[in-house]
Amino acid sequence: MLTKFETKSNRVKGLSFHTKRPWILASLHSGVIQLWDYRMGTLIDRFDEHDGPVRGVHFHMSQPLFVSGGDDYKIKVWNYKLHRCLFTLLGHLDYIRTVQFHHEHPWIVSASDDQTIRIWNWQSRTCISVLTGHNHYVMCASFHPKEDLVVSASLDQTVRVWDVSSLKKKGASPADDILRLSQMNTDLFGGVDAVVKYVLEGHDRGVNWAAFHPTLPLIVSGADDRQVKLWRMNDTKAWEVDTLRGHMNNVSCVMFHAKQDIIVSNSEDKSIRVWDATKRTGLQTFRREHDRFWILAAHPEINLLAAGHDSGMIVFKLERERPAFAVSGDSLFYAKDRFLRYYDFSTQKETQIVPIRRAGSTTLNQCPRTLSYSPTENAVLICSDVDGGTYELYQIPKDSIGRSDLQEAKRGPGSSAIFVARNRFAVLDKSNNQVLIKNLKNEVVRKSGLPVPTDAIFYAGTGNLLCRSDDRVVVFDLQQRLVLGDLQAPFVKYVVWSSDMESVALLSKHSIIITSKKLVHQCTFHETIRVKSGAWDENGVFIYTTPNHIKYCLPNGDSGIIRTLDVPIYLTKVSGNKIFCLDRDGKNKTLVIDATEYIFKLSLLRKRYDHVMSMIRNSQLCGEAVIAYLQQKGFPEVALHFVKDEKTRFNLAIESGNIQIAVASAKEIDDKDHWYRLGVEALRQGNAGIVEYAYQRTKNFERLSFLYLINGNLEKLSKMLKIAEVKNDVMGQFHNALYLGDIQERVKILENAGHLPLAYVTASVHGLHDVAERLAAELGDDVPSFPEGKEPSLMPPAPIICGGDWPLLRVMKGIFEGGFDSTGRGAVDEEEEGADGDWGEDLDMVDSDGLQNGDVTAILEDGEVAEDNEEGGWDLEDLELPPEVETPRVNARSSVFVAPTPGMPVSQIWTQRSSLAADHAAAGNFDTAKRLLSRQLGIRNFTPLKSMFLDLHTGSHSYLRAFSSAPVVSLAVERGWSESASPNVRGPPALVFNFSQLDEKLKAGYKATTDGKFTEALRLFLNILHTIPLIVVESRREVDEVKELIIIAKEYVLGLQMELKRRELKDNPVRQQELAAYFTHCNLQMPHLRLALRNAMTICFKAKNLATAANFARRLLETNPNENHSKAARQVLQASERNMTDASQLNYDFRNPFVTCGATYVPIYRGQKDVSCPYCTTRFVPTQEGQLCTICDLAVIGADASGLLCSPSQIR
Amino acid sequence: MAVAAAPDHLFHLRNNFYLGSFQAAINNSDLPNLSPDDAVERDCLVYRSYIALGSYQLVINEIDSAAATPLQAVKLLALYLSNPHDKESTIASLKEWLADPAIGSNALLRLIAGIVFMHEEDYIEALKLTNAGGTMELHALNVQIFIKMHRSDYAERQLRVMQQIDEDHTLTQLANAWLNLAVGGSKIQEAYLIFQDFSEKYPMTGLILNGKAVCCIHMGNFDEAETLLLEALNKDAKDPETLANLVVCGLHLGKSSSRYLSQLKLTHPEHILVKRASSAEDSFERAVQSVA
C-alpha cells in the first residue's frame, strides 16, 4: 500500500472522489463535510450544515454538485463553487446511510434506516420512487454503472437487486397526461415502478455493503457475519458464488477494483484486505493499530483508493505505477507487463527484448522497482521487492532484440543492485551493511563494508556508489574504500546524473538537491507537492516533474514552470525542446515544450550574450515576467530591449545608466517627474549637459543656476539673472547675482525690492561708497550700524575652469551593440570565404600545364579493388601452437620451481606457416623471404626491395609498456582481425603494404604522366613494381588484379623510360622518332595514348616523315580527341596525304604487330625470338638473357621461376 | 575475500604508478598518517616513479646505505639502468643480497631482481625469483615474463591467481589486458575495453592511450590508433613507446614515419624497435650475400 495522503479528524463515514480534480469529500461523524485536495494536501472547504453524523456523500460526475445524507433525515445537494447548500430533500423518516448520483439521469438514490430506498429527481427536487421491501435498516444502495439496476444491502441479512427501468419512462414523458394518470394509479397501489429483481440471501447477519462489478454481472457484499460474499446474476436469477473469509469483525465496506482483478474490503477489525477475485484468496492485509474502518471509495478514473476510519482517512494506491527504467545514450530500457522493453529515442521505436520473471508469490507490488544497464555488456539488472528484495540479471544477446524466449535470469537477494563498472555490479546487503561486488556470472568478486548505514545504493560513476541513509547521502569509492563526498539530504528517492557525470540531482519527496559529482551542494529546490521524476537537458538545466507540472531548475537556483500536466509522467530524456517520458501505463510519449524561457535565462546566467541577443532579435519571448526577471537579476540593460512602453523603458534605462535611451524616453514622456529623475541620474554620472537639459525642460531655474555656479559657467549664470529679471523673480535675481558675485546688481535688486537697509549694508561693506552714500541719504536716520570688527564678504570664489561634462562613467554598452556588430561581421567573413573558394578553382585551371587533363579522372575508374576481407581469412586452426604437451606441469607454488621452456615467437610461427615472401619479410626472416622471391619470380637484385623489407619487418610488431621499468613487450600484429577470431590462434602478420595503396599509387602515376612529370611517374610505377612482390591479397580474383597491375606498371615503365631516353637524345632525330613511335605501342590509358600519339605525330611531321605522321594522326583521330587535337590531326592528315612519303627510314613497321625490347628499345616483331623477365614479363631480345631486367630492376631475364605467389588462396 | 574496511591510503599513489602517471605519483605522495610500512612502500613507489622518468641519479643520491631493504633494491635498479656498461657489478651485488637469507626473500628485492634479469633476457633466472609470488606486482611481472617467453598458457595461470586475489585490482586488469593482447583474436577487444575502463575511471595517461592505440593497431584500426597516439604524444613528446607505435602506425597508413623513427633513434637508441630495425638491416645485408 502506498499512502498518498492522510487526514486526522473525527470518524469518517462517507467518501467520494472528484472525477477530474484531485479532490476528495469526507463526511464525518461530527456532521462536517470536508473537501480536501489530496495532491496538495490542503483542506479546500468545509460544509457544516447537517445536524449529527453525515454518513453518505457523493460528487456529481460533471456538475459542480455533491449530495450528502445524514442522521438528521436530510439529503442536501450542494454547489461547491458557490460554497453552499442548494436545497434539501426531505422524506426519509430515519438516518440516511448512503446517497449517490446517477451517472446520467438527474437522480439520487438514498438508503435509510426507515427500511426504504428512495430515488429522487434533483432537478425537480422530488422523490420519484420509494423502494420498499427490506425489513430492517437499509445500509447501502447504489446504481449500476451501466444498467438500470440498484443494489442494496440491509441488516435484514439480504442483498436486493432492484429494476428501475420503468422510472426512465416515467421521467421521459412527464407531460403525457394519460401516463401520468396510470402512474398515479400505480403509485396509489403501492408503487410498482421500481421492483425487486432478486433477493440474495446467504449472509447470517446484517449486510453492511453491496456493490456491482463495473463490467461483469457480479455483486460483492460484506456483512456483520465477517464474510465477504460474491454473487453472480443473469437475466433470470442470481446466486451465491463464493465466500471470502478472513475478516475478524464486521465487514464495513467492499468493492471490486476497476482495473485489476481484485476485491478490496475493509472492516471494523481495523484492516483493509485485498482479495484475488478469481482465485478468491487473500492477497494482502493492511492493518491499523486503533482505527476501525468504515468506508471505502475508488477514484472513477485513476488508480486511487480511499478509506475512512475512526480518526480520519487515507488516500492510497495498491501498487506503484512508476515503470522501472534506465537510460543509456540514445536508448531507454524499461520494464512493462512482464517484459523488458527497449526504446530508441532517435527513431522512437520500441521493442520487446526479453520476458522477465513473473513474481512467484501472489502479493502485490512485486513489479520491478529499479533497472540498471551496462551498455558494453548489454546486461540489465532489475530489482524488485520480491522476497524482501531481489535482483535479477539479464544478459541480452546482441542479435536477439525482439526474440522472446524466456532466459533464465541470474538472481539473488538484495534490495538494490546496480552496475558499478562495465562488468561488475554491486548488491546491497543491508543486514551486514556491506555491498557485494559481483561479476556477470553472479559470482562474488569482492565485499566491501559501507561507511554509513545504507538502505539503498545508486550509481555514482564507475567504481563509485552513492549510498543513501535516512538523512544523508555519501559517495563511496569502492576501490579506495574512501568517502568522496557527504551531504545531508532528506530521504533521497531517485538520483539523476547529468550526461557528463559532473552534476547529480537528488530527488526526495518534496525537494531536489543539485550537487557536483562529489556531492558539493549547488542548490536546493523545494516543492510543496511530490517530485516525480527528472532529467538533465544538454545544456545543464535540470527538468523535473511534479504530479501536475513540468518545471526547470537552473544551476543558479532559479526555477520555473514549463507547462502543466494532466497526468503524472516520468521523464526519461530531454533533448532540445523534446521531452521523452513514460506514462503510468508504461507507454513512451514525446512532449514538445517551449524551452525558450529557461534557455534564455541560462544564456544570461552563462553570459552567453550572443545567444541572448539572437533570442531577443527573433523575439521569441517577451512579457512582464521576463522583464521582471531581468531587472531582478541585474540585467536592466537587457530588459530594455524588450520593452516598448516608454515609462518602463525610462526606468530600465535609468537603472542601467543608459542616459541616451533615458533621454529619448523622457522626451517621449515629457513630464516633470521623469525629467527630474533623468537629471538626478545624469548628475550622478556627471553628465552636465543632460542635467542642464533636464533642468531646462522642467524650468527648474534654481537648480539650473546652481548647476551653472558649480560648473563655473558665468555666462549662462548671467543669462539666468536676466531671465529672473524678466520673470520678475526677485529671489532668483538675488541668488544669481550672489552666485555671480555682482555686487552692484545685488545692491540694485535689494534697492528695487525696497530693502534699503540691506542694500546700504551690502554697498558699504563691499566698498561701493557712492551708492552707500546715496542710500544713506535716502534712509536718513535709519542707517543701520555695523557690528564691530567684522567685514563680512559674500563673494563667491572665481571659477578656475569652466567645465561641461565630467569624464563620463563607462556605460554598459558592449554587450548589445557588440552582439549586433559581431553577427554583422560574421556575415562579411562568410562572403569573403566564398570568394576564396572561387579563387581556388581559378588557380586549378591555370595549373593545367598546357596538357589536357580534363577527362583523366573520369577514365581512371577501372581501379575497383574489391576487398573480400570478410570472407575466410586464414584457415590454419589445425596447427594450433604452442605445444603444451611436453612442458612439465609444475605447481607454480611448489618449492622446486622449474621454469617453462620458452614458447615459439609468433614471428617463427609466421614463417612456418607461410610460403609468401611478404610474411617471411615481416617476420624478419629475410633469408627465406629472398629465397622464396628468387624461386618464385627469379629475383636476384634485392637492393630496391630493402626499404620494403625493413618496413614490413618494423610494421609487424606493436610495443606495449607493461610493467614500469621492465622491458617493453613487443606484440605481433596480425592481419585480418575480426571480432570473432579465436584467441591463441595466430593469424598471419599485418603487412604495411596493401593492394589499395598500390591503387592509389597507380592513380598518382597516371596523374603524373598526364601532367608530364615523367620522372615522377616513372618513380611511382617502379615503386609499384617493387612493392608487388611483397603484396598479399586474399582472393584469387585479387591475384589476377595484381598480375594485371604488373603488366600495367611494366608498360608504363617501359614507355616512360623510352620517352625519357628520347628527351636525352637531342641530335638523333631518327632514334627520337622511333622511340616516340614505340611509346605509342605501350599499353597506355587512353588520354596518355592520345598524348603519346600527338607527340609522335608532331615529331614525325616535323621530321617530314609524313606517312608515319599520317598513321599517328589517323590513330589519334580514332581515339576521339577533343576539338583542338582532332583539328591538328586532320591538318596533319591533309598535309601528308598530298605527299605520302617518309623523309627518313625508321625501324618501325606499324602494320606488323610487335613488342619493344625493354633494354635495347627495338621492336621484336611477332615470330622473332625473344626472352622475357620472369617477374614483370617484359620481353627482350635474346642477347639480354642472364642480365638484370632493366624494367623491374629485380629479376634476371630468362631465369626460371614458379610465378607470382601473393595470396594464401593460391596455396590452398 | 574478507570484508575490507580500512581505507587504502596508498591506492592513488599505486594506481598512478601502475598507470604511468609518474609525475602525478610523485606530486601526490605527501600523505599524512602513514604506518612505517606504508611509508617505506610510498618511498619505493616515489623512487621507482623517478626511475621510470629517467632520473636515476636522483634516486642513487637520495637513498643512503641506512635505508630499508626495499629502498636499497630500488637503488640497485637505478644503478643498473643508469649504467649500461657496468651491469656486472650491480648484478653481482644483487645476487649477493638474494643469497642473504635475511633479506633475500623480500618481495620488492625479488621484484627488482626479476626486472633486472628480464633486462638481461635471463627469464629462467627471473622466474626463479618471482614465481613464488607474494605481491600483486610479482604476479604481474610473472605474467609479463611469460608473455615475453611466448608462454601465454603460463601467463594465463598467473593471471588466474591474480584474479582470485583481487579481480578488480589495477594490476590484475592491466595484466589481463597484456595477456589479451598477447593471445590476440577476440581477446583484443576485451583488452580495449579494459583500457577504456581505465580511461573512464582515471585521468588519461600515455600508458592508457598507448594501450588503447595498440589494441586499435591489432584490430587493424590504424586511423584511430594514430589519433590516440598523437594525443599521447601531446602528453609526452619523448615517450619511446608512443614514438615506436607511431612509426608502426605510419607505416601501415602509408604515411612517412621517418621523423618519429629518427626521434626515437636519438632519444632511445636502446629501444627494441631501433634494435630490431638495425638488426634487420644487418640480416638483410647478410641475406643478400647468401642469395647472391
Side-chain angles (χ1 to χ4, degrees), chain A residues 1158-1188:
Chain A
T1160 56
Y1161 310 137
V1162 293
I1164 305 168
Y1165 292 103
R1166 189 172 287 173
Q1168 286 181 335
K1169 272 196 82 159
D1170 62 30
V1171 285
S1172 61
C1173 168
Y1175 167 50
C1176 65
T1177 69
T1178 317
R1179 305 243 223 125
F1180 295 91
V1181 290
T1183 51
Q1184 293 292 324
E1185 182 157 3
Q1187 301 292 314
L1188 200 62

Side-chain angles (χ1 to χ4, degrees), chain A residues 376-377 422 424 434 437 439 444-449 462 479-482 882-884 887-890 892-894 897 899-906 922 924 926-927 930-931 934 942-943 945-946 949-951 953-974 977-986 990-992 997, chain B residues 1 3-8 11-12 17 22 48 51-52 77 111 115 118-119 124 127-128 131-132 137 139-141 144 146-154 157 161 166-168 171 178 181-189 193-194 197 200-202 207 211 214 217-219 241 244-245 247-248 251-252 254 271-273 276 280-281 283-285 287-288 290-291:
Chain A
T376 345
E377 299 290 340
R422 171 172 61 86
R424 294 281 182 280
Q434 62 175 8
I437 310 296
N439 60 18
V444 178
V445 177
R446 215 143 35 87
K447 290 179 185 175
S448 178
T462 310
Q479 234 166 354
Q480 299 182 62
R481 300 183 290 279
L482 271 184
E884 249 182 276
T887 51
R889 298 218 167 232
V890 177
R893 297 231 169 227
S894 73
F897 172 75
T901 52
M904 194 186 283
V906 178
F926 297 156
D927 201 20
K930 283 171 181 170
R931 265 179 237 285
S934 67
F942 288 98
T943 324
L945 296 181
K946 182 175 175 181
F949 268 57
L950 294 181
D951 285 354
H953 181 53
T954 312
S956 68
H957 281 71
S958 65
Y959 300 92
L960 182 71
R961 156 78 56 206
F963 208 70
S964 153
S965 301
V968 171
V969 179
S970 62
L971 298 161
V973 188
E974 296 155 1
W977 180 84
S978 78
E979 252 178 77
S980 53
S982 44
N984 258 328
V985 176
R986 307 310 337 194
L991 303 177
V992 299
Q997 284 171 359
Chain B
M1 245 187 299
V3 178
D8 183 354
F11 177 85
H12 264 305
F17 176 69
F22 303 114
R48 286 169 70 193
I51 292 176
L77 179 65
L111 180 81
I115 292 174
M118 258 185 100
H119 278 284
I124 309 291
L127 279 175
K128 270 186 201 163
N131 79 88
E137 291 192 73
H139 288 298
L141 191 69
Q144 198 185 339
F146 286 127
I147 290 172
K148 273 261 177 198
M149 294 173 77
H150 307 286
R151 291 309 299 259
S152 49
D153 46 342
Y154 275 80
R157 255 177 262 166
V161 172
D166 183 353
E167 204 178 338
D168 289 335
L171 278 178
W178 303 336
L181 275 167
V183 299
S186 57
K187 294 279 185 184
I188 302 280
Q189 218 170 6
L193 286 177
I194 290 171
D197 282 352
E200 278 167 16
K201 259 196 266 185
Y202 307 111
L207 185 127
V214 167
I217 289 176
H218 282 253
M219 293 192 273
E241 276 68 55
N245 286 323
V247 170
V248 175
L251 284 172
H252 281 274
H271 193 270
I272 183 161
L273 181 131
R276 269 169 54 102
E281 220 160 312
S283 78
F284 186 86
E285 294 308 331
V288 167
S290 71
V291 172

Side-chain angles (χ1 to χ4, degrees), chain B residues 52-277:
Chain B
L53 290 171
S55 314
Y56 307 126
Q57 212 51 48
L58 179 147
V59 179
I60 296 167
N61 294 342
E62 280 199 12
I63 301 177
D64 58 25
S65 52
T69 312
L71 285 168
Q72 295 296 343
V74 172
K75 186 177 179 178
L76 270 186
L77 179 65
L79 278 170
Y80 175 83
L81 292 172
S82 66
N83 194 353
H85 306 297
D86 189 25
K87 291 173 177 174
E88 280 69 27
S89 65
T90 319
I91 294 170
S93 52
L94 192 60
K95 282 187 170 160
E96 189 186 311
W97 289 14
L98 287 165
D100 183 339
I103 54 169
S105 61
N106 182 287
L108 196 72
L109 180 63
R110 286 190 287 132
L111 180 81
I112 299 279
I115 292 174
V116 168
F117 286 118
M118 258 185 100
H119 278 284
E120 293 295 307
E121 297 190 16
D122 190 349
Y123 300 130
I124 309 291
E125 192 61 35
L127 279 175
K128 270 186 201 163
L129 297 164
T130 58
N131 79 88
T135 64
M136 287 308 257
E137 291 192 73
L138 278 167
H139 288 298
L141 191 69
N142 279 337
V143 171
Q144 198 185 339
I145 294 173
F146 286 127
I147 290 172
K148 273 261 177 198
M149 294 173 77
H150 307 286
R151 291 309 299 259
S152 49
D153 46 342
Y154 275 80
E156 202 174 326
R157 255 177 262 166
Q158 274 296 317
L159 180 66
R160 241 175 270 144
V161 172
M162 291 179 82
Q163 283 171 338
Q164 265 162 23
I165 299 169
D166 183 353
E167 204 178 338
D168 289 335
H169 196 281
T170 306
L171 278 178
T172 314
Q173 296 288 326
L174 272 176
N176 198 354
W178 303 336
L179 182 63
N180 282 339
L181 275 167
V183 299
S186 57
K187 294 279 185 184
I188 302 280
Q189 218 170 6
E190 286 179 29
Y192 183 84
L193 286 177
I194 290 171
F195 286 115
Q196 179 71 33
D197 282 352
F198 279 134
S199 64
E200 278 167 16
K201 259 196 266 185
Y202 307 111
M204 261 311 183
T205 65
L207 185 127
I208 297 173
L209 284 165
N210 255 297
K212 277 172 99 168
V214 167
C215 295
C216 289
I217 289 176
H218 282 253
M219 293 192 273
N221 197 348
F222 296 102
D223 290 311
E224 191 185 339
E226 197 193 17
T227 318
L228 289 163
L229 288 169
L230 289 175
E231 202 184 328
L233 201 65
N234 271 341
K235 291 194 181 291
D236 181 0
K238 284 181 179 166
D239 184 64
E241 276 68 55
T242 312
L243 289 169
N245 286 323
L246 267 171
V247 170
V248 175
C249 245
L251 284 172
H252 281 274
L253 288 168
K255 293 181 183 172
S256 168
S257 54
S258 52
R259 187 174 303 155
Y260 299 128
L261 186 60
S262 41
Q263 213 177 334
L264 185 65
K265 277 180 182 162
L266 275 176
T267 53
H268 297 86
E270 292 294 297
H271 193 270
I272 183 161
L273 181 131
V274 181
K275 281 199 209 157
R276 269 169 54 102

Side-chain angles (χ1 to χ4, degrees), chain A residues 582-816:
Chain A
L582 283 167
D583 68 6
R584 285 195 152 154
D585 297 326
K587 279 201 203 86
N588 277 290
K589 285 189 175 167
T590 314
L591 301 174
V592 176
I593 53 161
D594 180 8
T596 324
E597 185 184 327
Y598 68 80
I599 295 291
F600 178 79
K601 290 182 179 178
L602 186 73
S603 305
L604 266 182
L605 186 68
R606 298 233 168 113
K607 304 203 164 42
R608 300 289 307 275
Y609 295 120
D610 47 338
H611 282 196
V612 175
M613 272 321 297
S614 72
M615 292 179 85
I616 292 172
R617 243 179 296 140
N618 302 337
S619 64
Q620 287 161 317
L621 37 75
C622 50
E624 294 295 315
V626 172
I627 295 161
Y629 180 83
L630 287 168
Q631 257 178 303
Q632 178 201 333
K633 291 290 162 188
F635 299 99
E637 72 275 13
V638 183
L640 258 183
H641 291 258
F642 289 102
V643 190
K644 297 277 180 299
D645 175 48
E646 287 299 342
K647 279 189 182 165
T648 325
R649 260 178 90 82
F650 179 83
N651 288 339
L652 290 170
I654 291 291
E655 204 174 317
S656 55
N658 194 336
I659 288 290
Q660 275 77 24
I661 290 180
V663 171
S665 298
K667 273 185 195 158
E668 291 292 322
I669 304 164
D670 199 16
D671 78 11
K672 207 171 171 181
D673 183 44
H674 286 89
W675 283 118
Y676 171 70
R677 282 177 54 204
L678 175 66
V680 170
E681 173 63 20
L683 195 59
R684 191 180 68 78
Q685 293 189 8
N687 195 338
I690 301 294
V691 180
E692 183 187 351
Y693 183 61
Y695 288 168
Q696 282 170 354
R697 293 302 297 244
T698 48
K699 304 214 165 33
N700 195 335
F701 297 114
E702 285 86 359
R703 287 175 187 275
L704 205 48
S705 298
F706 193 70
L707 177 73
Y708 292 145
L709 171 70
I710 296 294
N711 280 344
N713 197 337
L714 297 179
E715 195 186 322
K716 290 213 170 151
L717 209 50
S718 42
K719 261 188 205 159
M720 291 305 294
L721 182 66
K722 278 187 195 121
I723 291 169
E725 210 177 317
V726 172
K727 284 180 70 189
N728 215 3
D729 172 4
V730 178
M731 202 59 203
Q733 266 177 291
F734 183 76
H735 275 157
N736 282 319
L738 191 64
Y739 294 160
L740 278 166
D742 189 339
I743 318 287
Q744 279 162 348
E745 192 63 32
R746 245 162 72 198
V747 174
K748 201 176 96 194
I749 294 162
L750 288 169
E751 193 185 342
N752 290 350
H755 287 287
L756 289 178
L758 274 175
Y760 167 75
V761 169
T762 310
S764 61
V765 163
H766 291 96
L768 295 174
H769 296 295
D770 43 344
V771 183
E773 274 165 35
R774 184 172 52 81
L775 288 168
E778 273 183 46
L779 282 167
D781 296 340
D782 299 336
V783 177
S785 61
F786 294 100
E788 283 296 310
K790 285 197 179 164
E791 285 235 335
S793 170
L794 287 172
M795 284 295 283
I800 299 164
I801 49 158
C802 161
D805 295 351
W806 300 348
L808 291 188
L809 285 172
R810 273 184 65 87
V811 178
M812 297 279 283
K813 207 178 205 178
I815 309 163
F816 290 94

